[in-house]
Amino acid sequence: MRAYIDVIDYDQSTGTLREIYDNLIASRGKLAHVHMIQSLNPESIVAHMDLYLKIMFGKSPLRRYQREMIGVVVSQTNDCAYCVRHHAEALNFFWKDADRTEALAQDFRSADLSATDLALCSYAESLTANPNAGDNASRIDALRDGGLSDRQILDASLVAAYFNFVNRLVLGLGVEVEVDGGGGYRY
């Protein structure tokens, strides 16, 4: 793995780091570069995964595909090819429509979305591109007017915030897509 900082590969890992890597392989199907970039601070990998699992897989009124969809839009807005690649694949696992998934990854407005999904994507893009806009209350009102509950809005915000965090980790430290393209994870 090429990155801007030192990374401990699986073969060189020992102790706690090896246990964490083994647990990730057992639960996710393989070890991702986004986890390996944190190898110098193994506890951060565990905290990262706890947050990821809670936000992306935890109980929520947002459907799993909606969370992946928001992740793709945030990552596309941030020009984070790594996360677009990984989470477009996850989204396509649910949609089973590669053309629609690719359209979303290019410009969500062309992806034939429901009004609710379009509102979620617009919110994610807007919050990512301009988080301190003077119209944040109107952003929320628009989501409510579209039928979203405050819990759905909170969860959409958590997903957007999580992906902005991960995009900056990936982009800032030079994480590249895995040689195999990053596919094959358990969703």
Side-chain angles (χ1 to χ4, degrees):
M1 176 181 148
R2 183 177 107 10
Y4 304 148
I5 64 171
D6 290 334
V7 173
I8 302 169
D9 290 323
Y10 181 83
D11 293 338
Q12 284 73 44
S13 66
T14 60
T16 300
L17 180 60
R18 175 60 71 99
E19 289 175 29
I20 292 169
Y21 279 178
D22 286 340
N23 287 336
L24 285 167
I25 293 167
S27 64
R28 302 284 296 140
K30 58 197 290 191
L31 185 60
H33 286 174
V34 73
H35 301 122
M36 292 172 58
I37 196 69
Q38 298 171 82
S39 62
L40 299 177
N41 183 355
E43 292 80 14
S44 73
I45 302 170
V46 174
H48 179 169
M49 282 306 296
D50 287 346
L51 180 62
Y52 169 73
L53 291 172
K54 182 61 74 182
I55 289 173
M56 295 301 288
F57 291 85
K59 185 175 172 129
S60 172
L62 289 181
R63 298 182 60 192
R64 276 278 298 125
Y65 87 83
Q66 289 172 317
R67 292 180 257 183
E68 295 294 350
M69 180 184 68
I70 291 167
V72 172
V73 169
V74 168
S75 300
Q76 192 279 331
T77 302
N78 284 324
D79 198 25
C80 182
Y82 181 92
C83 291
V84 168
R85 176 80 178 253
H86 278 273
H87 293 279
E89 178 183 310
L91 177 60
N92 196 52
F93 173 82
F94 296 103
W95 277 359
K96 299 190 183 352
D97 184 340
D99 291 338
R100 184 175 179 216
T101 301
E102 179 61 27
L104 181 105
Q106 296 300 313
D107 180 359
F108 67 87
R109 292 164 198 82
S110 66
D112 189 30
L113 300 174
S114 70
T116 298
D117 289 348
L118 184 61
L120 286 168
C121 289
S122 295
Y123 175 69
E125 178 188 55
S126 177
L127 186 60
T128 298
N130 195 1
N132 197 27
D135 64 345
N136 282 330
S138 63
R139 287 177 181 167
I140 300 301
D141 288 342
L143 292 172
R144 281 191 190 119
D145 291 346
L148 291 163
S149 70
D150 281 6
R151 173 61 193 272
Q152 287 172 303
I153 295 167
L154 169 63
D155 288 1
S157 297
L158 287 167
V159 172
Y162 169 77
F163 276 92
N164 275 291
F165 155 71
V166 174
N167 290 171
R168 279 144 183 81
L169 182 68
V170 166
L171 294 168
L173 297 177
V175 178
E176 294 180 330
V177 174
E178 293 79 4
V179 173
D180 66 1
Y185 292 95
R186 294 190 188 108
Y187 303 113

